[in-house]
């Protein structure tokens, strides 16, 4: 073995002596413990430079994730058509400009959105997605206006309507898991002008819901401490919601998963507690039973009160359709979506019908807290029922659940509005920059636009926000009706191609008939809204108050009509004919092997009866 190099180096020796003088011990062989823990100056400089370079690289990678992939398009491709194609194409060419329907269909297929949502995310979005102020707070207004019987009838009616609608949405979303599914289906199967109106109205709904929910959350915090500035809570809540959405769709799914578990646990716990309270009674009343159905009564304000509850109940179910909007960002929509769609049945049955039945047994419709017209947690019949039972701790916990529910709806508002904005841009129905999707699959500019609108929460003026919300107040009803009609038209086009419904990976359990039922129910809700807006339950309202109430309740209709007419006049679009509908672009499940589908069908036929029933419901 060669001897080690012992060449004398004056500089190195001076460094060793200085370390030894500083207290370092020199081991045999001339090495120092202090020296062994340090490096020569030039090596230290290299190490420091290396750390600085790594830091710069990390910062560069962080900024790089916000860039668009080099192979991503900035705007959807334009498909060139001949004059004959324009003449017979469903997009129409009678106006000054030509709307390319084929390019719009292609634009929604591969947008670069990250497909990271899993089955458990979709199931929780379906079960707890719309459980928010509509159930916990607005149900108090419904109880006061119509009574407990009207609440059950109205929510059951809307539940049937939503079940039919979501079944139709599930079939379309599994077949076409494209971005901005609602407006995309209306554009493809109904009329591009109607798709434009539906997309923008739905987007405006969620954009305005965000500041409203943030404001409601800041008011809910006042239950514990009313001295802290509301603006501080608005800043905290808005920053948290935007941060969740900027972290990516997977983080959004995880957040909604946690929020939904909290809400579901709270509702189930309240149902069990409500049964105990009803049997044990309030401290000064004893056994309750159904006496509030007799005094003050099961109904209030007659048939008009029932119609008023129809409208409030429809708003309470807003957000149910988000599970279809998330289809484009799901890992395997063919497997995950059907299960999530079926969960709607349990949400309608357990979280609305059963929970509100318990509420109607515990809180009379003329309770003073319901008559105050408050819009915060103090008007929640859930909180009123617990406080009336003399329980000291649980009301605070229930307010915490309401706060989580409000933040969950605000979180969904950013998700829903940003995805709809990006999809509208992909279909040439919104500014092109909104279609920007970064390398992590986030519609970055669309999320930032939603965050900017959320700053309206600092106004702390609910009256102003109420007028803004009125612009799209009936958006959900229009959206649900459009989904049902699009499903009917899709089935007609599917049959016109000589294809059987058996070829679809998921078929609506209610079929085409269910879509007609859902469409009819939506028309009934629109009629009820018109009647109660023009002739409100409170007959003593002044003439000016009636006019203001009517516009607050129905101004959405002329706005939607105006957007529809404007788009049609600009592009000259017309209703898409059945023979011209595109039933292939965007069909992700079309690549699934026929043998796989046949094998799955054979497996289902061999299942026992109980498993078939379970799979049909769950």
């Amino acid at each position: 073995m060669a001897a080690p190099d012992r060449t004398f180096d004056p500089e190195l020796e001076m460094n060793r002596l200085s370390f030894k003088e500083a207290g370092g011990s020199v081991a045999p062989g001339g090495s120092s413990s202090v020296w062994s823990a340090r490096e020569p100056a030039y090596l230290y400089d290299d190490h420091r430079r290396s750390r600085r370079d790594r830091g710069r690289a990390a910062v560069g990678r962080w900024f790089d994730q916000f860039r668009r992939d080099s192979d991503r398009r900035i705007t959807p491709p334009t498909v060139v058509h001949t004059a004959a194609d324009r003449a017979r194409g469903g997009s129409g060419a009678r106006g000054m400009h030509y709307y390319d329907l084929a390019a719009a269909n292609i634009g929604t297929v591969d947008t670069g959105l990250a497909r990271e949502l899993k089955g458990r995310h979709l199931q929780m979005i379906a079960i707890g997605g719309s459980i928010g102020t509509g159930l916990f707070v607005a149900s108090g207004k419904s109880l006061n206006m119509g009574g407990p019987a009207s609440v059950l009838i109205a929510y059951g009616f809307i539940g049937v309507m939503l079940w039919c609608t979501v079944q139709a949405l599930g079939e379309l979303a599994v077949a076409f898991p494209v971005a901005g599914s609602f407006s995309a289906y209306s554009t493809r199967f109904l009329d591009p002008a109607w798709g434009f109106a539906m997309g923008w109205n739905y987007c405006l709904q969620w954009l305005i819901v965000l500041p409203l929910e943030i404001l409601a959350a800041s008011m809910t915090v006042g239950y514990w401490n009313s001295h802290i500035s509301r603006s501080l809570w608005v800043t905290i809540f808005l920053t948290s919601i935007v941060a969740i959405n900027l972290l990516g769709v997977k983080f959004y799914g995880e957040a909604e998963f946690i929020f939904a578990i909290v809400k579901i646990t709270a509702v189930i716990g309240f149902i069990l507690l409500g049964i105990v309270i009803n049997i044990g009674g309030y401290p000064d009343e004893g056994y309750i039973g159904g006496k509030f159905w007799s005094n003050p009564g099961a109904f209030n304000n007659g048939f008009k009160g029932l119609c008023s509850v129809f409208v409030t109940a429809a708003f309470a179910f807003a957000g149910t359709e988000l599970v279809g909007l998330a289809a484009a960002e799901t890992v395997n929509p063919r497997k995950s979506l059907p299960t999530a769609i079926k969960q709607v049945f349990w949400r309608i049955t357990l979280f609305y019908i059963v929970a509100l039945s318990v509420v109607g047994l515990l809180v009379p419709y003329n309770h003073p807290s319901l008559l105050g017209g408050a819009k915060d947690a103090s008007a929640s019949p859930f909180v009123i029922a617990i406080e009336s039972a003399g329980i000291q701790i649980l009301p605070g916990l229930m307010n915490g659940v309401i706060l989580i529910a409000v933040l969950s709806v605000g979180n969904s508002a950013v998700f829903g509005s940003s995805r709809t904005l990006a999809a509208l841009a992909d279909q040439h129905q919104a500014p092109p920059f909104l279609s920007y999707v970064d390398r992590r699959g986030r519609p970055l500019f669309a999320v930032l636009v939603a965050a900017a609108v959320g700053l309206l929460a600092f106004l702390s003026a609910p009256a102003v926000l109420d007028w803004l919300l009125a612009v799209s107040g009936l958006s959900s009803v229009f959206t649900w009706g459009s989904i049902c009609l699009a499903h009917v038209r899709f089935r007609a086009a599917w049959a016109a191609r000589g294809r059987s419904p058996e070829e679809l990976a998921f078929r609506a359990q209610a079929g085409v008939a269910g879509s007609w039922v859902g469409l009819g129910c939506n028309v009934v809700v629109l009629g009820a809204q018109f009647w109660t807006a023009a002739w409100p339950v409170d007959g003593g309202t002044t003439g000016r108050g009636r006019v203001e109430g009517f516009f607050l309740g129905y101004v959405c209709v002329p706005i939607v009509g105006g957007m529809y007419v404007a788009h049609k006049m600009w592009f000259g679009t017309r209703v898409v004919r059945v023979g011209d509908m595109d039933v292939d672009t965007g069909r992700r499940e079309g690549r699934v092997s026929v043998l796989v589908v046949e094998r799955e069908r054979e497996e289902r036929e061999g299942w026992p009866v109980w498993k078939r029933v379970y799979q049909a419901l769950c």
Side-chain angles (χ1 to χ4, degrees):
M1 177 182 295
D5 186 9
R6 301 285 185 179
T7 305
F8 179 80
D9 187 342
E11 182 179 356
L12 184 58
E13 191 63 21
M14 289 297 296
N15 285 334
R16 288 182 176 180
L17 291 175
S18 62
F19 287 140
K20 184 177 180 180
E21 292 174 358
S25 59
V26 180
S31 64
S32 171
S33 62
V34 177
W35 170 252
S36 62
R38 296 175 180 257
E39 298 175 344
Y42 65 89
L43 292 179
Y44 180 73
D45 291 340
D46 290 344
H47 181 65
R48 182 170 56 184
R49 190 181 301 111
S50 176
R51 285 192 302 174
R52 184 168 60 249
D53 292 342
R54 287 198 299 270
R56 290 176 178 175
V59 173
R61 287 193 299 270
W62 188 82
F63 278 104
D64 188 63
Q65 68 178 327
F66 296 105
R67 299 177 181 175
R68 185 191 292 269
D69 285 340
S70 57
D71 59 344
R72 295 300 309 160
R73 63 178 185 271
I74 298 179
T75 56
T78 300
V79 181
V80 180
H81 295 279
T82 64
D85 294 331
R86 293 190 178 196
R88 70 179 181 83
S91 56
R94 295 176 294 169
M96 297 174 57
H97 302 81
Y98 173 62
Y99 184 80
D100 200 328
L101 180 58
N105 294 337
I106 295 173
T108 59
V109 176
D110 187 16
T111 58
L113 294 173
R115 295 173 180 173
E116 296 180 344
L117 291 178
K118 300 179 181 179
R120 61 185 179 88
H121 298 142
L122 285 183
Q123 291 179 31
M124 284 302 175
I125 291 174
I127 294 176
S130 66
I131 298 179
T133 53
L135 175 63
F136 291 122
V137 179
S139 58
K141 178 183 178 182
S142 300
L143 180 62
N144 172 244
M145 295 176 64
S150 294
V151 168
L152 292 184
I153 294 173
Y155 275 80
F157 177 86
I158 301 299
V160 172
M161 179 184 78
L162 259 295
W163 183 77
C164 296
T165 302
V166 173
Q167 287 289 321
L169 174 61
E171 181 175 310
L172 291 171
V174 172
F176 305 96
V178 297
S181 57
F182 317 128
S183 61
Y185 300 149
S186 295
T187 298
R188 179 182 295 206
F189 301 119
L190 300 179
D191 187 340
W194 187 250
F196 169 81
M198 286 298 93
W200 271 107
N201 198 48
Y202 186 79
C203 177
L204 288 174
Q205 174 197 7
W206 284 120
L207 286 175
I208 303 303
V209 162
L210 175 61
L212 278 175
E213 295 297 327
I214 292 175
L215 189 59
S218 64
M219 294 169 64
T220 302
V221 175
Y223 179 87
W224 297 283
N225 191 330
S226 60
H227 302 292
I228 300 178
S229 173
R230 189 174 295 171
S231 298
L232 175 61
W233 293 115
V234 169
T235 303
I236 294 173
F237 295 146
L238 178 60
T239 303
S240 301
I241 290 173
V242 174
I244 289 174
N245 282 269
L246 286 178
L247 288 173
V249 68
K250 186 175 182 179
F251 200 87
Y252 162 80
E254 294 293 348
E256 283 301 304
F257 183 83
I258 297 173
F259 290 156
I261 289 178
V262 173
K263 291 185 287 186
I264 291 170
T265 304
V267 173
I268 295 176
F270 173 81
I271 292 173
L272 298 177
L273 176 63
I275 295 174
V276 174
I277 293 175
N278 184 267
I279 296 174
Y282 290 149
D284 56 345
E285 297 185 19
Y287 174 73
I288 299 175
K291 70 177 183 180
F292 291 143
W293 281 59
S294 301
N295 182 24
F299 293 93
N300 188 27
N301 296 315
F303 184 69
K304 186 175 289 186
L306 174 62
C307 291
S308 300
V309 180
F310 278 143
V311 177
T312 308
F315 294 156
F317 280 93
T320 305
E321 68 285 342
L322 281 175
V323 66
L325 194 65
E329 298 175 76
T330 304
V331 176
N332 190 353
R334 181 173 171 269
K335 291 291 186 181
S336 303
L337 270 175
T339 303
I341 291 298
K342 296 171 188 175
Q343 299 294 334
V344 175
F345 170 80
W346 296 108
R347 184 180 66 193
I348 293 171
T349 303
L350 181 62
F351 303 133
Y352 283 92
I353 305 302
V354 178
L356 292 176
S357 297
V358 174
V359 165
L361 292 173
L362 299 178
V363 182
Y365 68 74
N366 60 354
H367 193 281
S369 296
L370 296 179
L371 300 176
K375 297 181 180 180
D376 57 5
S378 64
S380 170
F382 292 78
V383 175
I384 294 172
I386 298 175
E387 287 180 337
S388 300
I391 303 175
Q392 300 299 322
I393 299 177
L394 288 183
L397 294 178
M398 199 66 205
N399 272 276
V401 173
I402 294 174
L403 177 61
I404 292 175
V406 169
L407 294 177
S408 174
V409 175
N411 193 33
S412 299
V414 176
F415 177 82
S417 60
S418 62
R419 269 55 180 184
T420 305
L421 278 174
L424 287 170
D426 287 327
Q427 298 174 83
H428 293 291
Q429 294 174 336
F433 78 92
L434 292 174
S435 68
Y436 186 96
V437 177
D438 63 20
R439 296 188 175 183
R440 290 190 58 185
R442 299 169 296 191
L444 193 60
F445 290 151
V447 172
L448 295 179
V449 168
V453 177
L455 295 175
L456 291 174
F458 285 101
L459 292 176
S460 296
V464 176
L465 296 176
D466 284 345
W467 274 104
L468 293 174
L469 184 61
V471 172
S472 57
L474 294 173
S475 174
S476 294
V477 179
F478 279 117
T479 298
W480 299 334
S482 299
I483 291 171
C484 293
L485 186 57
H487 177 245
V488 172
R489 298 271 292 165
F490 161 70
R491 279 292 190 95
W494 190 259
R497 302 295 192 280
R499 300 178 183 179
S500 169
E502 298 293 329
E503 299 179 37
L504 296 171
F506 174 76
R507 298 185 301 278
Q509 293 175 327
V512 177
S515 295
W516 282 115
V517 170
L519 179 61
C521 291
N522 280 280
V523 173
V524 170
V525 172
L526 287 175
Q529 171 70 350
F530 181 84
W531 185 35
T532 55
W535 295 275
V537 172
D538 184 8
T541 306
T542 62
R544 180 178 179 180
R546 286 191 177 187
V547 172
E548 182 178 346
F550 176 79
F551 278 100
L552 277 173
Y554 227 74
V555 71
C556 172
V557 175
I559 290 178
V560 170
M563 288 191 291
Y564 174 72
V565 172
H567 189 278
K568 183 171 285 290
M569 292 180 63
W570 183 260
F571 289 102
T573 60
R574 58 191 177 192
V575 176
V576 184
R577 300 171 182 173
V578 172
D580 296 328
M581 291 181 187
D582 183 359
V583 296
D584 292 308
T585 301
R587 283 185 59 216
R588 200 188 304 179
E589 113 269 355
R591 297 192 291 267
V592 179
S593 171
V594 178
L595 295 177
V596 173
V597 177
E598 284 295 329
R599 185 166 60 251
E600 292 177 350
R601 184 177 293 111
E602 292 176 357
E603 291 178 358
R604 288 194 296 268
E605 291 175 354
W607 287 347
V609 176
W610 69 267
K611 191 171 183 179
R612 293 185 184 182
V613 174
Y614 175 81
Q615 289 294 327
L617 297 177
C618 304

